[in-house]
Amino acid sequence: MTQKYDAVIIGAGHNGLTCAFYLAQAGLKVRILERRDIVGGAAVTEEFHPGFRNSVASYTVSLLQPKVIRDMRLAEHGYRVIERPISNFLPQEDGGYLKLGGGLERTQAEFARFSAADAATLPAYYDALEGVAEVLRSLALKSPPNVGEGLRTLIAGASQGWGLSKLGMEAKRDVLDLFTKSATSFLGQWFESEAVKAAFGFDAVVGNYASPDTPGSAYVLLHHVFGEVNGKKGAWGHCIGGMGTITQIMAEVCRKSGVEISLESPVAEVLVDGDTVAGVKLESGEEIAAKRVIANVGPKLLYGKMLPEHHQPADFRRRMRGYKAGGGTFRMNVALSELPRFTSLPEPGEHHQSGIIIAPTLDYMDKAFLDAKAHGWSKRPIVEMLIPSTVDDSLAPPGQHVASLFCQQFAPELPDGRDWDAEEDAAADTIIDTVEAHAPGFRASILGRQVLSPKGLYRKFGLVGGDIMHGHMSLDQLWSARPVLGHGAYRGPVKGLYMCGAGNHPGGGVTGAPGHNCAQEVLADGGSFRRFAAV
């Protein structure tokens, strides 16, 4: 084997980089092994058409933890986020539109065009959601209690449950609703307008191969309000230079801290000696010794491909086979000669700087899911479009634009033995048709496109089933049970094996939280907790 490291991290995604930073700051010798020729995992910016650059997969900012931003001093190295002037713009099927965001009073005025009752209800809804989100937000940078550790589990559980226990009865009912109910059922308790319910319900299907009618989908809605931009809670924004700017800066900070980053170094196997990890073996055959192996890849990839089955306890392996992953996401990036002109709002405006959501009702979203289950993808898919070049002119030539199309309800695996490689262009055309119906001339403005089906997302980024969350965000796969009960505190079934990706608490999104928390556990195991806490 080559030189021995204190820790080897599989994957240079943002969580792997975050974890490496904290470990290096505590004095550990760390090496990151990245399969691709660029750091960043799914948070990368690449040129996909001559002169046009965009965030290839992950495409917007909100959930990145403020503590991680501060500790890594990202702003000092060029991290800059521009907040959306409004959150979302939803064209309606009757030719109208709804705007969400821009402040409470403005949103109420917008809602009043659809329902006076919904406008009046909005402050109470925001208060209810934020009350729960604030408690759960406080848990994001804490390791879940690891069930099976006796008194330690009880103490950790009681400590983390304290915030929930202090909630009033109404808030406790909201917690129960959000964790168990469908988004349709939950939103139906609050609002009457279909357009208003769709504006909030979209978050319940983001990266979630499910209908808004699916029990538990309300939690996915809640997960997307945890974040903030520039200190403003719940806001979303554009990172100047694209999402790859974040991870490039993180890599620079890591290298300055002494972390070694090896590109084009795909890991084939986690090596085990007895009951303890010994290092990793690359696809090239090279073996690298390490006291600890930390996986930034998803649980399905780690336990299905990298850790040999005979090193996994039988019950653990059985449960990991049943671990649910597959997000139903289809990603496109398009180069545009001009801004899209929406029938409902054709002239350039703030809506072009927002999340443009084509999913006018919850029923539309439900039909999209049912279509995907039956046929492989929806004939009328759910599409969110962002046009970051409206605020960042480094991404496209003057007068031209790039757009991200983040599309939902595309089967992770096509039925009847069909293959995404043969059908992804047809699916992409369906997406373009969907946008064209609301913005005539959109198709003619496309100069080039990059298409990533669920299979393409797996091939490029290692996202099993195209799952941007590294696993479903369902009640049975959250907190101490993410990825499986007994291994919720970032430790694998082999001594010295850890997990720092989105398949661990608190889940998906560009947060840095799993990486932060995993480093905390690694250092606690090595007696370095105080050094970590002081970073």
Side-chain angles (χ1 to χ4, degrees), residues 60-63 81-84 87 224-225 229 234-238:
T60 189
V61 180
S62 176
L63 302 175
V81 177
I82 295 179
E83 183 183 341
R84 300 180 192 175
S87 300
H224 285 89
V225 304
V229 167
W236 291 82
H238 299 288

Side-chain angles (χ1 to χ4, degrees), residues 6-204:
D6 293 316
V8 162
I9 297 177
I10 305 172
H14 78 281
N15 277 310
L17 293 164
T18 301
C19 184
F21 165 77
Y22 286 110
L23 296 181
Q25 286 289 301
L28 272 64
K29 184 177 181 180
V30 183
R31 182 174 176 182
I32 301 176
L33 301 168
E34 169 56 41
R35 178 179 63 89
R36 300 188 68 216
D37 61 357
I38 185 174
V39 301
V44 290
T45 304
E46 297 178 2
E47 184 176 75
F48 66 95
H49 187 72
F52 293 83
R53 300 165 58 245
N54 202 16
S55 303
V56 178
S58 174
Y59 62 99
T60 189
V61 180
S62 176
L63 302 175
L64 187 58
Q65 287 290 319
K67 182 179 187 299
V68 172
I69 296 172
R70 290 194 306 270
D71 288 350
M72 297 188 77
R73 297 180 174 87
L74 300 184
E76 295 176 23
H77 292 80
Y79 172 74
R80 181 181 169 216
V81 177
I82 295 179
E83 183 183 341
R84 300 180 192 175
I86 58 173
S87 300
N88 293 321
F89 163 69
L90 289 83
Q92 296 296 298
E93 293 185 313
D94 63 1
Y97 65 86
L98 181 147
K99 291 181 180 179
L100 177 67
L104 174 61
E105 291 183 1
R106 185 175 175 190
T107 304
Q108 282 184 287
E110 185 75 4
F111 281 14
R113 297 195 297 112
F114 295 84
S115 165
D118 288 355
T121 299
L122 185 61
Y125 174 79
Y126 277 161
D127 286 346
L129 216 60
E130 179 57 28
V132 178
E134 185 60 27
V135 173
L136 298 183
R137 195 179 285 129
S138 70
L139 301 179
L141 292 182
K142 295 179 181 177
S143 298
N146 205 37
V147 175
E149 295 184 351
L151 183 60
R152 182 177 173 181
T153 299
L154 292 175
I155 293 172
S159 173
Q160 295 191 29
W162 181 245
L164 289 172
S165 71
K166 291 191 297 182
L167 293 174
M169 184 55 68
E170 289 185 11
K172 288 176 180 175
R173 290 169 179 157
D174 290 333
V175 171
L176 182 63
D177 285 352
L178 285 161
F179 275 91
T180 61
K181 288 188 174 181
S182 70
T184 299
S185 177
F186 177 73
L187 292 168
Q189 296 177 149
W190 290 93
F191 303 110
E192 61 184 20
S193 164
E194 294 303 318
V196 169
K197 286 187 280 189
F200 292 120
F202 167 74
D203 282 340

Side-chain angles (χ1 to χ4, degrees), residues 286-461:
E286 179 187 358
E287 295 184 352
I288 300 172
K291 297 176 183 176
R292 307 164 185 86
V293 173
I294 303 168
N296 188 200
V297 298
K300 276 288 192 185
L301 193 56
L302 175 62
Y303 298 113
K305 300 280 188 182
M306 294 180 176
L307 182 67
E309 287 196 10
H310 63 271
H311 292 303
Q312 302 178 41
D315 183 69
F316 175 88
R317 182 60 196 146
R318 178 175 63 82
R319 294 181 185 278
M320 287 312 306
R321 285 196 188 104
Y323 181 77
K324 301 189 298 276
T329 292
F330 194 107
R331 275 288 279 119
M332 291 180 65
N333 294 292
V334 292
L336 301 175
S337 61
E338 61 182 2
L339 288 173
R341 297 175 63 86
F342 292 92
T343 303
S344 58
L345 205 57
E347 298 306 316
E350 63 183 4
H351 60 296
H352 286 111
Q353 299 176 20
S354 73
I356 301 165
I357 297 172
I358 299 177
T361 66
L362 294 177
D363 186 53
Y364 178 105
M365 299 180 208
D366 176 54
K367 288 179 179 176
F369 174 65
L370 295 177
D371 241 9
K373 287 193 71 176
H375 308 294
W377 68 81
S378 172
K379 298 170 185 175
R380 302 177 70 202
I382 300 165
V383 179
E384 181 182 21
M385 178 192 297
L386 263 74
I387 311 174
S389 51
T390 55
V391 296
D392 183 358
D393 60 11
S394 72
L395 300 176
Q400 299 178 321
H401 292 277
V402 295
S404 301
L405 300 179
F406 183 48
C407 313
Q408 309 299 323
Q409 310 315 0
F410 294 78
E413 293 185 7
L414 290 173
D416 306 320
R418 290 148 53 210
D419 191 284
W420 270 118
D421 286 344
E423 303 202 32
E424 67 177 9
D425 281 335
D429 288 340
T430 300
I431 293 166
I432 299 301
D433 290 341
T434 301
V435 178
E436 180 81 13
H438 293 275
F442 179 72
R443 179 182 293 278
S445 72
I446 296 175
L447 304 173
R449 71 188 193 186
Q450 179 185 41
V451 176
L452 290 168
S453 68
K455 183 178 179 180
L457 288 168
Y458 171 67
R459 183 164 46 224
K460 192 174 183 72
F461 299 113

